[in-house]
Amino acid sequence: SEEHCCNEPLLPIQLRKECSANFSSNENTSSKLQRDVVEAFKSLPSYFGISIIEEESHCGRTGYSIDVLISVRQQQLGVEVDGPCHFVGYSPNGATMLKQRQLCSLGI
C-alpha cells in the first residue's frame, strides 16, 4: 500500500476551493453574550491598553470567524465567546474543540 505524503493536499484543488468558499460564506450572528463581552471590553479604562480591532473577524488561513479581535498593548488577540451551545455538560463540543485546536496550532 502507498503511504500518503504529508506535504500533498488531501483534496483536489477545485474541491478545496469550493469547500473553502462554502465554509467562509456562512453568515455569523453575534449573540447577546458576545455583544455584552464586546461592550465590557469597550467600557474598560484606557490604562488597560485594550482596544477592539474587529468584531466577527475572518481568518483567511482557516475560514473561521473569530468573535472579537482585540489589541492589548500592541499585541493582537482573538477572543471566542462560547455560550452554552458550544458545550456538552461542562466540556466543549466537538466542533468547538476542533476550532480551538486549529486556531491554536496556527498561533491565533
Side-chain angles (χ1 to χ4, degrees):
S1 80
E2 221 175 281
E3 286 189 38
H4 178 75
C5 177
C6 292
N7 294 327
E8 294 177 17
L10 296 174
L11 299 172
I13 191 159
Q14 185 57 37
L15 183 55
R16 276 187 287 151
K17 287 180 181 179
E18 289 176 25
C19 289
S20 178
N22 188 311
F23 184 73
S24 298
S25 70
N26 290 331
E27 292 289 321
N28 293 309
T29 57
S30 298
S31 67
K32 180 175 180 334
L33 175 61
Q34 184 175 329
R35 290 188 301 272
D36 289 346
V37 169
V38 168
E39 288 307 312
F41 278 130
K42 288 178 179 177
S43 70
L44 291 172
S46 61
Y47 59 80
F48 282 110
I50 297 174
S51 61
I52 304 289
I53 296 172
E54 185 179 12
E55 294 178 51
E56 294 297 338
S57 178
H58 176 78
C59 176
R61 292 176 69 189
T62 64
Y64 283 121
S65 172
I66 299 170
D67 293 340
V68 186
L69 191 61
I70 65 171
S71 174
V72 181
R73 296 192 175 97
Q74 311 302 320
Q75 183 178 7
Q76 289 188 6
L77 299 171
V79 178
E80 284 293 302
V81 182
D82 293 338
C85 68
H86 291 269
F87 295 87
V88 176
Y90 292 101
S91 300
N93 65 24
T96 299
M97 285 181 8
L98 177 63
K99 182 177 182 179
Q100 289 173 351
R101 287 178 184 165
Q102 288 178 332
L103 291 174
C104 284
S105 73
L106 293 172
I108 299 172

